Amino acid sequence: MSSSTAARSKAGAASRSTAGVVTWLDERLGIGALTKKQLRKVFPDHWSFMLGEIALWSFVILLLTGTFLSFWFKPSMAEVEYMGSYANLRGLHMSEAYASTLDLSFDVRGGLLMRQMHHWSANLFLASMTIHMLRVFFTGAFRKPRELNWMIGLALLMLGIIEGFAGYSLPDDLLSGTGLRIAQGLMLSIPVVGSYISFFVFGGEFPGDDFIPRLYTVHVLLVPGILLALITAHMLLLVYHKHTQFPGPGRTNNNVVGFPLMPVYMAKAGGFFFIVFGVTALMGGLLQINPIWMYGPYNPAEVTAGSQPDWYMGWLEGGLRIMPNWETNLWGYTLSWNVLIPGVLLLGVLFALLAFYPFIERWITGDDREHHLLERPRNAPTRTAFGVAGMTAYALLWIAGGNDILAYEFGLSLNAITYFMRVAIFVVPVLAFIITRRWCLSLQRHDREVVLHGYETGVIVRSPDGSYAEIHRPINPVRAYELTMHEQHTPVEAPAASDANGVPAPAQGKERLRSRLSHFWYADDVSKPTKEELEAAAHHATNGSHALEDGHGPASGNGAHLGIETSGIVGGQDFGLEQKPKAP
Amino acid sequence: MVRKLSTRRRHPLAGFVVLLFALVVAGGLYSAFRPAVADESGKSDAQLIAEGRQLYEVGCASCHGLNAEGIITERGKNIGPPLIGVGAAAVDFQVSTGRMPMARPDTQAPDKPRTYDEGEVDKLAAYIASLGPGPAIPDPEYYDVSEATDEQIARGGEFFRTNCTACHNFAGVGGALPEGRYAPSLHGVEPIHIYEAMLTGPQQMPVFSDEVLTPLQKRDVIAYIKTLEDQTAYGGLELGSRGPVGEGLWGWTFGIGALVLAAVWIANNGVRAERKKP
């Protein structure tokens, strides 16, 4: 097979014996034919394509460290008297879950390191999934044919959050219990079935003795199993769809330009695992996380200042913290809007929006083609603006979740922060949307400018009659190609209200709505330069620079053109009167 | 001898020698003849109270009223609350930690370098204590925690988590309260002041009277707080001991930051022999 021939071409006993092993395996399992194609799978080089890999490797670290922890952790609510090494808690009665976590931290060699690595890597797992998702969103990588993979990724994120929260709740320390109490509150707020759900989940009254063992099964078996399966599906689809890439010379919608898995990306990705592991180990060794011995065992009568969930639940906590205390009493039953809206509905709304976004955008734009080339965020201004508005809302809720820490650290009033957030959560995302959209359009304009008129050299030339102009030089063709090869979007037009014979078309409200949305989506896009414009610009640039060298001032025909076209002119007398070429 | 002196009287160092001599003589004379230092401990209570009243009238009466009856604003709020019956312990806590006198009207009096020395605090305390019965300055046996056993510390931890962490945070580093008020950090606070704070409930703090927490239980709490101060950071850098918010911040900045930098490095290096020039 090819692998054995390749190996044989190398000299040396080591490679011969490797080849021998590979041949032996190949003859029995057919791995050569099986993996030949996949080993040549092409990965394009871009740092942002490796963000998902951080999540993958974090998951591996979670499995490794989690297995270690499971050897000692006892998921039991049985009451024991702690007699371990940590003097400040010795003699106290606590659950076996908490006591075994203390033992893990203080009496198992390397236990605290593993616990901290596990926790840091959970934080990094979710953080890297989030930034990976943002990368996919802002570059439009979720478009056909990748919508399903987008939804799988979203399921991974949601399961990751559940998994993280389960892990946070297992040690039965004060923060765990406080968090679980909030989770129980969320269940209770669900109309009609809330109390039944709570009783079902906790096996009776909160906290009860059943929940920790149940949660443990969910945490080490159920959710990791689903996560593993979904990660496999995610990666199989990645292989099936092939990797996306940014547009560039030679990189089209029909190919992938990059380096093969074997040997280049095997080394790069494999190496990255060790970097991720190293960073996680450093954090686990040097940065304290979740010091459960400081929190103490859970006791429903206790709570601590600075009770927050881990970061990925922080935005929900923020929603709870800024929600006004609205309640409705219906026929003797209380509807707790104050918990239901931020705790349950908000989560549902976010994930529903994210899950259906690819389909919403596809409907609005009417774009049913396959996309393997990524879009730069500026070339999809409305999508980018939506994304930034969403991030802004998320960030505001996030900040609100830490309102007490902010108030204390910065000497602010807790109430003032809360009142501000109640307004900001509605206003600031809208502002962010408008600003981002304008920003993207300006960047498009800038791209057009740079392609047509070159980049600013910073060289200012004074003409004989005293006016100044900055020399622009054409950008290199590769860059120009990158800046112009995105597609020019056109809004969907509404069908005519009546046909050629004047017969009114049947009701088409949906189509008209779509057209309006589509115009909103695309109509402001700056058109990219046409071939004629490019040629004209090149012509002007050449003539213009000659004109300057020939000593013609900007007031004379060609020079004036130069001044306007480059738009970098300073002090041209009739500058204000000249029309800048309008974007068609 | 005289001749020797007279020949060296123009020596460059002569001036310094004479100055040194004069200083030593003057200082010696002063210490021999200065008026005897008033011995505070020898003073009678009445004297202390009278002097305390004088200090009070200068430094405190503008807010708390000439007879410590407090000053009420037209809207029924306090400029300064009445001090009758607050006891010597309250005065010792507020004045020794520098909280009183306040620098300006504010939501809360922060601790700051103290204005009055110990003797003056005693006089003020004696005066306030004379106005009405209140908690006295505690005896050292109730806040001396140098002999505390592990058992007492563990018990103190339970009391601490039940009564204190809700505002002062699990590590005693403080926390926010509504309207810009806050529970201050407990690190570096003198044991006597922690005791007095529990006893008198200054500012936002509730009173933990001896019925709620007995003096010995208070001592256990203080012992626990003191172990928190010099406890080994088992997990590494404590990141401010503010719980998951600080951890999330570090995870996103240091963790994700480092990994993204690594990703950039990996993506830009490795295969190409020379770097692409723009």
Side-chain angles (χ1 to χ4, degrees):
Chain A
M1 281 279 165
S2 65
S3 49
S4 54
T5 13
R8 224 174 278 136
S9 67
K10 288 181 186 168
S15 69
R16 257 200 303 281
S17 74
T18 315
V21 172
V22 171
T23 312
W24 190 88
L25 280 174
D26 190 26
E27 281 164 4
R28 278 151 189 85
L29 300 172
I31 50 165
L34 208 64
T35 54
K36 189 177 166 190
K37 194 174 162 215
Q38 300 322 327
L39 285 177
R40 302 300 296 172
K41 180 184 157 47
V42 168
F43 286 90
D45 258 344
H46 194 274
W47 66 270
S48 72
F49 300 158
M50 308 194 79
L51 299 175
E53 235 167 77
I54 304 178
L56 179 66
W57 299 138
S58 295
F59 184 70
V60 173
I61 298 169
L62 281 167
L63 290 182
L64 293 175
T65 51
T67 308
F68 181 95
L69 297 180
S70 71
F71 292 159
W72 284 278
F73 178 72
K74 297 188 187 76
S76 149
M77 288 297 278
E79 189 174 313
V80 293
E81 192 181 346
Y82 177 67
M83 285 316 236
S85 309
Y86 186 64
N88 281 2
L89 294 174
R90 204 175 294 142
L92 290 186
H93 287 254
M94 54 185 67
S95 68
E96 211 172 354
Y98 183 67
S100 63
T101 315
L102 283 177
D103 288 339
L104 245 174
S105 305
F106 290 108
D107 296 300
V108 173
R109 192 172 299 277
L112 183 57
L113 175 69
M114 286 295 164
R115 250 199 68 223
Q116 299 205 131
M117 276 179 71
H118 192 69
H119 205 133
W120 277 124
S121 124
N123 276 5
L124 294 178
F125 178 53
L126 283 148
S128 50
M129 277 205 275
T130 308
I131 50 174
H132 172 61
M133 184 188 78
L134 291 174
R135 195 279 291 175
V136 169
F137 181 85
F138 284 114
T139 57
F142 56 81
R143 292 174 296 171
K144 188 182 175 186
R146 294 183 176 77
E147 301 101 323
L148 282 179
N149 220 13
W150 164 262
M151 289 175 92
I152 291 178
L154 210 57
L156 282 170
L157 181 63
M158 189 137 68
L159 282 169
I161 290 176
I162 294 170
E163 179 72 344
F165 182 73
Y168 171 93
S169 304
L170 275 177
D172 197 34
D173 60 292
L174 190 51
L175 269 192
S176 298
T178 310
L180 276 183
R181 187 57 148 174
I182 294 176
Q184 192 228 1
L186 300 188
M187 292 174 202
L188 288 177
S189 76
I190 302 172
V192 185
V193 293
S195 0
Y196 298 98
I197 292 181
S198 167
F199 267 71
F200 170 70
V201 168
F202 288 91
E205 281 287 355
F206 178 87
D209 289 344
D210 293 343
F211 192 63
I212 295 284
R214 287 178 181 178
L215 200 61
Y216 184 69
T217 311
V218 170
H219 182 74
V220 304
L221 181 72
L222 183 63
V223 180
I226 305 176
L227 277 175
L228 202 58
L230 286 180
I231 288 174
T232 312
H234 201 65
M235 311 239 327
L236 283 177
L237 278 176
L238 164 85
V239 172
Y240 174 68
H241 290 142
K242 316 254 177 325
H243 214 292
T244 53
Q245 60 189 347
F246 280 105
R251 282 176 270 164
T252 70
N253 212 24
N254 301 318
N255 67 4
V256 193
V257 180
F259 293 98
L261 177 66
M262 191 72 192
V264 175
Y265 259 83
M266 209 64 126
K268 284 196 174 197
F272 199 29
F273 168 73
F274 292 102
I275 291 178
V276 176
F277 194 95
V279 169
T280 312
L282 271 181
M283 295 180 83
L286 299 176
L287 305 176
Q288 175 171 290
I289 189 165
N290 199 23
I292 52 135
W293 59 92
M294 302 284 280
Y295 299 140
Y298 179 56
N299 175 342
E302 295 171 1
V303 74
T304 168
S307 286
Q308 259 98 5
D310 275 340
W311 74 261
Y312 41 86
M313 300 286 272
W315 66 288
L316 283 174
E317 170 89 8
L320 278 174
R321 287 186 183 208
I322 61 172
M323 184 71 192
N325 56 344
W326 293 344
E327 283 183 355
T328 313
N329 205 300
L330 287 177
W331 306 290
Y333 296 97
T334 306
L335 268 178
S336 295
W337 301 114
N338 49 357
V339 183
L340 188 65
I341 291 176
V344 182
L345 297 184
L346 199 61
L347 186 74
V349 165
L350 177 84
F351 275 92
L353 262 183
L354 283 173
F356 292 113
Y357 184 82
F359 305 99
I360 299 172
E361 188 184 306
R362 201 177 134 205
W363 182 73
I364 293 176
T365 58
D367 183 353
D368 203 22
R369 294 162 301 156
E370 288 208 359
H371 291 281
H372 300 286
L373 280 180
L374 299 173
E375 269 185 312
R376 299 171 82 207
R378 68 183 61 172
N379 289 330
T382 313
R383 177 203 300 148
T384 306
F386 267 122
V388 173
M391 283 171 74
T392 311
Y394 187 98
L396 287 169
L397 289 171
W398 223 10
I399 291 170
N403 59 0
D404 59 325
I405 308 282
L406 282 180
Y408 187 78
E409 293 289 336
F410 298 104
L412 301 170
S413 161
L414 194 67
N415 307 47
I417 297 176
T418 306
Y419 299 145
F420 172 79
M421 287 300 174
R422 281 176 183 172
V423 179
I425 192 65
F426 296 104
V427 176
V428 181
V430 177
L431 287 178
F433 181 90
I434 295 169
I435 292 170
T436 311
R437 200 156 175 278
R438 299 312 309 174
W439 196 335
C440 287
L441 293 171
S442 299
L443 285 170
Q444 288 187 359
R445 227 165 270 136
H446 173 75
D447 282 351
R448 184 190 154 84
E449 201 76 10
V450 168
V451 171
L452 284 180
H453 310 307
Y455 67 97
E456 298 169 352
T457 55
V459 177
I460 310 285
V461 176
R462 186 182 179 207
S463 66
D465 64 353
S467 68
Y468 293 89
E470 183 177 5
I471 294 184
H472 286 220
R473 290 253 171 268
I475 52 176
N476 77 33
V478 172
R479 185 83 189 126
Y481 183 77
E482 284 169 357
L483 291 182
T484 49
M485 85 153 306
H486 61 275
E487 50 186 300
Q488 189 74 55
H489 299 292
T490 40
V492 181
E493 293 303 334
S498 57
D499 63 13
N501 301 323
V503 180
Q508 38 186 231
K510 227 172 102 181
E511 289 303 310
R512 243 174 275 141
L513 171 72
R514 175 182 181 171
S515 168
R516 266 213 302 282
L517 285 172
S518 179
H519 273 271
F520 170 67
W521 211 264
Y522 284 145
D524 292 335
D525 278 10
V526 176
S527 64
K528 59 181 189 180
T530 58
K531 198 176 172 207
E532 292 74 39
E533 282 174 318
L534 275 171
E535 277 162 5
H539 176 72
H540 280 312
T542 345
N543 280 4
S545 58
H546 284 162
L548 268 182
E549 281 156 23
D550 294 348
H552 295 293
S556 68
N558 274 343
H561 273 290
L562 172 79
I564 295 150
E565 296 280 351
T566 54
S567 79
I569 187 162
V570 184
Q573 210 178 4
D574 47 359
F575 180 65
L577 294 171
E578 296 276 355
Q579 288 287 311
K580 265 185 94 173
K582 271 205 189 100
Chain B
M1 175 73 182
V2 176
R3 190 178 169 76
K4 228 178 207 169
L5 280 177
S6 73
T7 52
R8 291 191 186 162
R9 73 181 192 277
R10 296 197 190 281
H11 189 273
L13 287 176
F16 291 108
V17 172
V18 171
L19 186 65
L20 198 65
F21 179 73
L23 282 173
V24 169
V25 169
L29 285 175
Y30 172 76
S31 62
F33 292 104
R34 70 175 171 153
V37 181
D39 186 2
E40 305 287 349
S41 59
K43 277 194 180 160
S44 71
D45 285 355
Q47 254 175 312
L48 276 177
I49 290 168
E51 284 173 30
R53 187 183 168 89
Q54 280 176 349
L55 285 169
Y56 176 87
E57 280 166 358
V58 175
C60 320
S62 58
C63 297
H64 291 289
L66 273 175
N67 296 303
E69 75 281 20
I71 297 180
I72 310 287
T73 62
E74 274 178 22
R75 277 187 259 167
K77 294 191 169 174
N78 275 325
I79 288 178
L83 298 181
I84 298 165
V86 300
V91 179
D92 188 50
F93 173 82
Q94 299 280 3
V95 183
S96 299
T97 59
R99 284 182 167 78
M100 290 293 149
M102 282 176 88
R104 58 167 189 274
D106 207 344
T107 43
Q108 194 166 325
D111 60 326
K112 57 181 186 293
R114 52 197 287 171
T115 317
Y116 295 100
D117 65 27
E118 236 162 272
E120 291 168 327
V121 173
D122 285 342
K123 290 173 194 166
L124 281 170
Y127 169 62
I128 296 298
S130 74
L131 300 174
I137 295 173
D139 290 332
E141 61 172 305
Y142 294 122
Y143 56 83
D144 176 19
V145 292
S146 51
E147 310 274 295
T149 63
D150 282 355
E151 204 181 322
Q152 287 170 339
I153 292 171
R155 196 167 33 187
E158 269 302 84
F159 287 124
F160 181 77
R161 283 188 294 275
T162 310
N163 297 301
C164 316
T165 52
C167 301
H168 287 285
N169 159 306
F170 60 90
V173 296
L177 298 174
E179 306 287 1
R181 296 183 288 252
Y182 57 91
S185 167
L186 301 176
H187 289 230
V189 181
E190 294 292 324
I192 182 176
H193 295 145
I194 301 178
Y195 190 98
E196 288 167 345
M198 287 189 269
L199 194 62
T200 62
Q203 307 191 34
Q204 320 307 322
M205 187 163 160
V207 172
F208 294 92
S209 70
D210 286 348
E211 287 76 45
V212 175
L213 277 181
T214 66
L216 290 178
Q217 288 170 341
K218 287 195 180 78
R219 189 182 66 185
D220 292 346
V221 171
I222 296 169
Y224 182 74
I225 294 173
K226 287 291 139 188
T227 54
L228 284 184
E229 261 172 35
D230 24 78
Q231 178 169 320
T232 319
Y234 296 103
L237 292 178
E238 285 168 323
L239 316 181
S241 287
R242 298 222 162 271
V245 173
E247 294 160 7
L249 191 67
W250 277 75
W252 270 96
T253 51
F254 178 77
I256 290 296
L259 292 174
V260 167
L261 284 181
V264 171
W265 177 67
I266 290 175
N268 282 343
N269 284 281
V271 187
R272 280 193 209 95
E274 87 275 49
R275 213 78 62 77
K276 195 173 69 178
K277 283 263 154 55

